[in-house]
Amino acid sequence: MGPNARDIRVGLDRLVAGMTGLRHEGRFHEPNLDGTAGDYISFDSWEWPQGVGLYGLIRLWLFTGRDDLRQLVENWYEARLAAGLPELNVNTTAPMLGLSVLWAKTGNPRWKPVLDGWADRVIAEMGRTSEGGFEHHVSDKVNDNELWDDTLYMVALFLASYGQASGRRELVDEASRQFLVHARYLSDPQTGLWFHGWTFDGRHNFARARWARGNAWITAGILDFFDLAEIANPVRTFLEGVLVSQVDALLPLQTPSGAWRTLLDDSSSYEEISATAGIGYGLLKGHRLGLGTPAWQTAGLKALEAVMNNIDENGTVLNVSYGTRMGHDLQFYKDIPIQPTGYGQALAILCLSEALQHVGAEGQAASR
């Protein structure tokens, strides 16, 4: 018998505590391009892992109505904005997604100028590849002419969310364009899975890595895109087809523990829990939205068990691979170290929050 609602709620409380307690302890030295220190672990840093983390906390607040979560997130944004915003890039855009959802729900006017200004700069200043895709420029590296899976979650979802909430249709249209361009170059027609990246310099998919967390950004990201904005029907129908093809490929690759491996189709690579949480979240959400077969829910609940088995007593999600650059060979992905991170916490929060809508009091799948 799987986890019941009470187990999941206890797990969520631990996950929130684990996320807010994350601190950079000097294991990684990753200076930014401007010479400042990069911090991709501490909760109080404005970077992409924290951005995903805040989105997870806000989703949990919206689902539970817990005012302490709303206050936690609002305090975070107030403190970070008072300290000053970082340079614009793909990854520093990630925290704007949570701020957009927060503004859409509270209507607090103090956030709107920040959101408008950042959205304008994304459209005007963010580097672009051929065909208008956003180049994956980040705080410590310029990746010219490259498309990465991650960009859709870090940038396109913000444009979709804020465009929908503010009535700025051009932002939703730009998000749609990004999903379409990235699908053209990153979705593998042979398997249905997604490659980590594509470069227009030489026109190739690097190591052709079918990397688990990159695929999780897509499974979760397409479904969150559907949630966050009204999308033109041809775009939505196309992305539904892409998603179903991906899930059809993912389901047979789930391991007996309920997890997926960091290289999805390589049995010698380790099981990785942030990807498992993101894919599990997407499978459960997709089933709830009527897109998938019962097998989606079954696999999603199995992934939930794997995630919950990897939350320690302090609320830290274990067996999460650290931030992953573009690999030029497959061994690179197998060698990425394990490190608790904000995105590991957040993807687990998303998975457990969604699971509450699928389990009864005793843990069985809720009838729908």
Side-chain angles (χ1 to χ4, degrees), residues 79-114:
R80 301 283 69 74
L81 292 173
L85 289 172
E87 292 295 315
L88 172 83
N89 61 53
V90 165
N91 284 350
T92 57
T93 300
M96 289 293 174
L97 172 59
L99 188 62
S100 170
V101 177
L102 185 65
W103 173 77
K105 295 301 179 182
T106 65
N108 195 313
R110 69 180 180 273
W111 308 128
K112 193 171 190 303
V114 177

Side-chain angles (χ1 to χ4, degrees), residues 27-340:
R27 180 181 178 191
F28 302 98
H29 176 60
E30 298 172 294
N32 294 324
L33 292 172
D34 63 6
T36 58
D39 184 350
Y40 301 89
I41 299 173
S42 303
F43 181 63
D44 59 1
S45 174
W46 183 294
E47 257 295 345
W48 70 271
Q50 295 82 357
V52 180
L54 292 159
Y55 178 62
L57 291 175
I58 289 168
R59 284 281 193 184
L60 182 57
W61 161 58
L62 293 175
F63 183 67
T64 62
R66 284 176 49 185
D67 198 59
D68 62 314
L69 293 174
R70 179 190 61 79
Q71 196 63 55
L72 172 68
V73 170
E74 287 196 343
N75 290 346
W76 189 95
Y77 281 109
E78 286 181 358
R80 301 283 69 74
L81 292 173
L85 289 172
E87 292 295 315
L88 172 83
N89 61 53
V90 165
N91 284 350
T92 57
T93 300
M96 289 293 174
L97 172 59
L99 188 62
S100 170
V101 177
L102 185 65
W103 173 77
K105 295 301 179 182
T106 65
N108 195 313
R110 69 180 180 273
W111 308 128
K112 193 171 190 303
V114 177
L115 292 161
D116 269 325
W118 198 275
D120 290 344
R121 292 183 60 206
V122 166
I123 299 300
E125 299 175 22
M126 195 161 280
R128 292 183 186 256
T129 67
S130 300
E131 301 179 37
F134 288 138
E135 291 177 313
H136 195 79
H137 297 328
V138 295
S139 300
D140 61 352
K141 195 168 191 299
V142 174
N143 298 298
D144 284 330
N145 296 313
E146 294 181 17
L147 299 174
W148 294 28
D149 297 329
D150 320 44
T151 304
L152 294 176
Y153 213 89
M154 307 310 155
V155 181
L157 290 186
F158 158 59
L159 294 177
S161 169
Y162 186 59
Q164 182 71 32
S166 65
R168 294 184 59 179
R169 189 69 211 172
E170 76 276 11
L171 300 181
V172 179
D173 289 344
E174 184 61 61
S176 296
R177 178 191 193 182
Q178 295 303 320
F179 270 90
L180 294 174
V181 172
H182 282 72
R184 168 161 153 75
Y185 288 103
L186 298 180
S187 177
D188 173 18
Q190 185 175 16
T191 63
L193 302 171
W194 283 51
F195 296 121
H196 185 185
W198 165 268
T199 177
F200 286 92
D201 292 339
R203 300 182 70 88
H204 59 78
N205 291 108
F206 297 96
R208 295 178 63 82
R210 300 175 185 95
W211 175 52
R213 192 163 59 242
N215 275 264
W217 295 133
I218 300 307
T219 316
I222 289 176
L223 287 156
D224 283 349
F225 186 37
F226 293 165
D227 240 7
L228 291 166
E230 297 171 16
I231 307 159
N233 192 56
V235 176
R236 183 181 176 113
T237 303
F238 171 80
L239 291 175
E240 284 178 1
V242 168
L243 177 67
V244 169
S245 292
Q246 186 207 31
V247 172
D248 284 346
L250 285 170
L251 292 180
L253 297 174
Q254 189 174 28
T255 69
S257 74
W260 280 269
R261 298 183 183 279
T262 198
L263 289 174
L264 290 164
D265 49 1
D266 184 340
S267 61
S268 67
S269 66
Y270 58 79
E271 295 184 2
E272 203 279 322
I273 298 303
S274 71
T276 297
I279 294 169
Y281 164 68
L283 292 174
L284 292 172
K285 186 170 187 172
H287 181 263
R288 177 169 57 81
L289 296 178
L291 292 176
T293 66
W296 289 35
Q297 186 186 52
T298 300
L301 291 171
K302 195 173 174 185
L304 167 72
E305 288 194 60
V307 172
M308 293 189 69
N309 286 336
N310 279 276
I311 302 171
D312 73 11
E313 60 186 15
N314 297 316
T316 302
V317 182
L318 307 174
N319 292 306
V320 170
S321 65
Y322 191 56
T324 304
R325 302 178 189 279
M326 188 58 57
H328 292 263
D329 60 66
L330 296 178
Q331 188 62 40
F332 171 84
Y333 294 89
K334 299 182 193 180
D335 293 341
I336 295 293
I338 299 297
Q339 169 67 44

